[in-house]
Amino acid sequence: MSCLNILDTANHYGNMNTAKSFYPKCMTQEYRQEDFLKRRIILGNEKGFDGHKMFMANQKYKTGTYHIMNDEKVLNAEDGWKVDIDEDILITTKDAPGIVAGHPVADCPVVIVGDRENGVTAVCHCSGELVDKKLPLLTFEALHKAEKDLGLTFSDQNVWAYVSACAGPNWTYNCYPNWATDEKVWENSIAERKNGIFNINIRQAILDQFSECGLTDVRFKLTDTITDPNYYSHSASFTNPVKAGRQYIGAFYSSDAFVKVK
């Protein structure tokens, strides 16, 4: 039976990104890709999936578009990291076990919304900009729409949400962030200190959106990526180079037929 697994690598498998800024300057793109694939295979063998089957969304539209991960482009992919998925939200299902939907992130959370009865789960990277565009709320709506596409009956009482490790309540900007354009989204989540520093509580902004759609089963991983030594952090990397990198956070349904990849 397929069970949902939440995947959070922290920094335990190294940087989960092939950007050249995270590697020595002499390393070619080909080397970076080979190095990353080797570590994905190690990760998958330990967690129960093929490391070639890790995917991310390009989030090109930022409007709540979604991709159901049961098509040939996904199922037959030799390397999921090389597959372009333009949509904003990934939908993984128990009928496509071993397919990992997620994102390499630092201080931004990954929001996961699942239906425990139907075995369908939506995964979305939610930066401050995307929270401003109401992607957490749209992820809930995408799950509903995807289940309709799959011929399933959606029931709110079966739905839960998970918000991953991210920048904690001490995340600050030295000005009001320019990506915060919707004042209502941030009315409970951005506060100005007397010295002109702004605190951003991205968890509260996400929770407010789930409250708006009536979702009450919301679980937070309260780890602060800025301060926790086990996590990468873009914010902290400016003063601590060890924090430069990305963890991969996502979800997949287990496969009874999984065989370790050599």
Side-chain angles (χ1 to χ4, degrees):
M1 179 178 179
S2 293
C3 296
L4 182 70
N5 299 268
I6 292 176
L7 180 66
D8 179 347
T9 67
N11 60 16
H12 304 319
Y13 296 87
N15 165 51
M16 303 300 285
N17 188 289
T18 58
K20 61 182 179 181
S21 59
F22 298 132
Y23 285 83
K25 292 182 179 179
C26 62
M27 291 187 180
T28 64
Q29 181 179 4
E30 182 180 9
Y31 176 89
R32 297 195 304 270
Q33 290 175 343
E34 290 178 356
D35 172 70
F36 186 37
L37 177 57
K38 288 177 183 177
R39 288 185 287 108
R40 280 187 284 143
I41 290 173
I42 292 170
L43 167 66
N45 284 344
E46 290 186 9
K47 301 298 183 181
F49 62 87
D50 181 348
H52 295 87
K53 300 298 185 180
M54 294 174 66
F55 297 82
M56 63 175 287
N58 292 335
Q59 299 190 296
K60 178 179 178 180
Y61 304 107
K62 301 178 175 62
T63 57
T65 57
Y66 59 91
H67 188 101
I68 301 175
M69 311 284 284
N70 62 359
D71 58 328
E72 289 186 6
K73 179 170 76 170
V74 169
L75 298 179
N76 297 331
E78 292 185 3
D79 185 350
W81 213 256
K82 297 180 179 180
V83 175
D84 285 327
I85 300 175
D86 287 338
E87 287 81 11
D88 306 319
I89 300 160
L90 301 179
I91 308 290
T92 186
T93 79
K94 66 180 181 181
D95 295 324
I99 300 298
V100 187
H103 283 273
V105 290
D107 295 319
C108 299
V110 171
V111 170
I112 299 171
V113 183
D115 184 328
R116 63 176 65 87
E117 182 68 22
N118 288 330
V120 182
T121 298
V123 179
C124 184
H125 157 251
C126 288
S127 63
E129 176 194 7
L130 295 179
V131 171
D132 187 74
K133 296 181 182 298
K134 292 197 168 185
L135 261 293
L137 173 61
L138 293 173
T139 301
F140 173 84
E141 294 178 353
L143 179 68
H144 191 173
K145 294 174 183 177
E147 292 200 346
K148 185 176 181 180
D149 294 342
L150 293 166
L152 300 170
T153 301
F154 182 89
S155 175
D156 286 351
Q157 67 182 7
N158 295 323
V159 179
W160 56 272
Y162 171 85
V163 182
S164 76
C166 60
N170 292 320
W171 183 26
T172 59
Y173 267 55
N174 60 4
C175 62
Y176 192 87
N178 58 12
W179 40 257
T181 62
D182 188 329
E183 290 184 5
K184 185 167 179 56
V185 168
W186 301 103
E187 62 183 353
N188 300 319
S189 308
I190 297 181
E192 184 178 7
R193 296 177 181 173
K194 291 182 179 180
N195 59 0
I197 300 297
F198 289 82
N199 274 102
I200 296 98
N201 188 339
I202 197 168
R203 293 188 181 109
Q204 183 62 52
I206 293 169
L207 183 60
D208 287 347
Q209 290 185 36
F210 285 141
S211 297
E212 181 180 337
C213 63
L215 180 57
T216 58
D217 187 359
V218 183
R219 312 161 194 182
F220 290 87
K221 182 163 187 176
L222 296 178
T223 301
D224 186 336
T225 52
I226 294 175
T227 59
D228 193 303
N230 293 307
Y231 282 80
Y232 295 111
S233 166
H234 176 70
S235 179
S237 68
F238 291 105
T239 55
N240 182 3
V242 174
K243 297 282 280 182
R246 298 291 183 268
Q247 45 265 347
Y248 184 91
I249 300 176
F252 69 98
Y253 286 90
S254 58
S255 172
D256 294 335
F258 171 70
V259 177
K260 288 187 176 182
V261 180
K262 296 181 179 180

